[in-house]
Amino acid sequence: MKLQVQNNDFLRLQIEDELVEIEVPSNTHASLYLTYDKVKNLSLMITVAQYASLKVLLENTSEDDVYCNIKGMVFEGGNLNVGLLEFEKGNSNIHCQIQLKEPYAKADVMSATLAHSQKEYIVDIIHESRDSEGIMNHYAIIQDDANYTMKASGIIQKGASGSASH
């Protein structure tokens, strides 16, 4: 499924395809609430063009085991906010990689998890250009018999001076 959001969109969608490509054109500002429960292997590709912004809340509503791979690219002056919700009892593997491609690109990745079983997250924000900013906040409540793993990295590449990762 390909989705090009329009300015001031607020869309609520149930994902049913394994591959979802989201494009945010220049100077567009939008919000998405995405849920998935039938997709067991989700690939979400997000491109935020120059001076655009996207807020995405992605909720797993499946009780089955799922794998979710999120790749984002943010260009000059763009902003991508990704929220991940995991409250279901199935095992989850979440990989999220956001590339800040040009100056003044920003990304904010947040997760809230109630771990009943196996939950694994790998989150990387990669600063490829100067003056970019990455913020991560992750929250989890873990039941006694559950397992929760979080690997979060802010990677500032050579030449990305003035960039900050928190």
Side-chain angles (χ1 to χ4, degrees), residues 85-117:
L85 291 176
E86 287 277 329
F87 299 131
E88 300 302 329
K89 293 184 180 179
N91 296 327
S92 296
N93 234 319
I94 310 294
H95 292 198
C96 179
Q97 181 184 72
I98 310 295
Q99 296 171 292
L100 303 175
K101 306 290 280 178
E102 295 179 342
Y104 308 107
K106 294 182 181 180
D108 191 344
V109 179
M110 301 155 280
S111 67
T113 305
L114 177 56
H116 301 280
S117 55

Side-chain angles (χ1 to χ4, degrees), residues 2-68:
K2 288 189 178 187
L3 175 64
Q4 184 174 28
V5 297
Q6 304 298 315
N7 203 28
N8 297 319
D9 271 351
F10 177 83
L11 301 174
R12 182 179 177 146
L13 299 170
Q14 174 71 36
I15 296 174
E16 298 191 7
D17 296 341
E18 287 193 349
L19 175 60
V20 178
E21 297 177 49
I22 300 170
E23 285 187 19
V24 185
S26 294
N27 300 304
T28 299
H29 307 283
S31 299
L32 300 173
Y33 174 54
L34 306 174
T35 58
Y36 62 102
D37 68 351
K38 295 180 176 83
V39 178
K40 306 304 175 230
N41 191 2
L42 174 63
S43 289
L44 181 61
M45 312 292 282
I46 303 169
T47 303
V48 178
Q50 294 178 329
Y51 306 104
S53 67
L54 180 65
K55 295 178 182 176
V56 177
L57 182 58
L58 183 64
E59 182 178 7
N60 173 16
T61 57
S62 175
E63 300 255 341
D64 296 324
D65 295 354
V66 296
Y67 176 79
C68 179

